[in-house]
């Protein structure tokens, strides 16, 4: 797990015109450290330091951050969605057995396919989310 510096979290929050709170800073730091995390797991981590924080407040903040584009919801078949900080477009490889998510860079040739398709259909592309479901190497070895 990697950690996002607190000043980077504050910068992200301010850039999105939100009030900087210790809880929001902690939300971003935990999400970044895990890469992809469910709201319930996020809440468990948060409640260690912020004991008065409710699950409803965490849900409200996550959904609001997704709505304004700070976070991205990653649907995982058969289990609850996971969330990540919004970053450059990339591909998600999701294991349908263990739920592990691996990010892979989006090759320019693939991006061109989407841009061309959007252009042909006079569709204004805002962002791309590519999800490939299968079995990770660990689950294949079982």
């Amino acid at each position: 797990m990697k950690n996002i510096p607190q000043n980077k979290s504050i910068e992200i929050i301010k850039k999105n015109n939100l009030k900087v709170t210790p809880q929001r800073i902690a939300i971003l730091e935990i999400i970044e450290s895990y890469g992809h995390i469910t709201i319930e797991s996020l809440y468990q981590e948060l409640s260690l330091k912020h004991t008065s924080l409710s699950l409803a407040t965490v849900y409200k903040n996550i959904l609001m951050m997704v709505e304004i584009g700070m976070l991205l919801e990653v649907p995982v078949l058969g289990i609850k969605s996971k969330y990540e900080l919004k970053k450059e477009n990339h591909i998600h490889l999701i294991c349908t057995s263990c739920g592990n998510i691996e990010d892979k860079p989006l090759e320019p040739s693939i991006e061109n396919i989407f841009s061309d398709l959007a252009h042909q259909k006079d569709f204004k592309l805002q962002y791309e989310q590519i999800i490939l479901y299968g079995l990770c190497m660990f689950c294949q070895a079982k």
Side-chain angles (χ1 to χ4, degrees):
M1 290 187 294
K2 56 186 175 179
N3 287 325
I4 184 172
Q6 186 175 27
N7 60 343
K8 179 72 171 165
S9 297
I10 292 170
E11 180 184 316
I12 293 169
I13 294 167
K14 285 182 177 180
K15 179 179 156 190
N16 286 279
N17 299 315
L18 296 176
K19 182 178 178 187
V20 176
T21 66
Q23 294 84 355
R24 287 182 178 151
I25 293 169
I27 286 171
L28 294 183
E29 290 174 346
I30 292 169
I31 291 173
E32 180 63 19
S33 72
Y34 279 85
H36 305 91
I37 190 168
T38 63
I39 291 178
E40 291 74 14
S41 296
L42 174 63
Y43 173 70
Q44 287 176 349
E45 287 284 327
L46 282 168
S47 64
L48 298 174
K49 287 186 179 178
H50 303 277
T51 54
S52 64
L53 191 63
S54 72
L55 181 58
T57 299
V58 175
Y59 265 97
K60 182 179 126 190
N61 273 279
I62 294 299
L63 296 177
M64 181 258 313
M65 289 176 177
V66 167
E67 188 175 305
I68 65 172
M70 279 177 69
L71 300 178
L72 183 65
E73 180 178 4
V74 181
V76 182
L77 292 176
I79 61 175
K80 295 189 177 202
S81 293
K82 294 186 178 184
Y83 296 84
E84 70 177 350
L85 289 177
K86 185 134 185 209
K87 49 193 171 230
E88 290 181 7
N89 288 333
H90 57 280
I91 297 172
H92 291 109
L93 301 175
I94 301 178
C95 181
T96 56
S97 180
C98 68
N100 185 52
I101 301 174
E102 188 176 338
D103 290 343
K104 291 291 180 188
L106 189 58
E107 298 294 324
S109 60
I110 296 172
E111 271 193 295
N112 289 340
I113 291 170
F114 293 123
S115 296
D116 290 347
L117 179 62
H119 181 73
Q120 289 170 14
K121 298 295 180 180
D122 197 23
F123 183 78
K124 184 179 179 189
L125 192 60
Q126 294 177 329
Y127 73 92
E128 303 152 6
Q129 183 171 4
I130 302 169
I131 300 174
L132 302 176
Y133 295 97
L135 293 174
C136 69
M137 65 180 167
F138 301 110
C139 291
Q140 289 177 55
K142 291 181 184 177

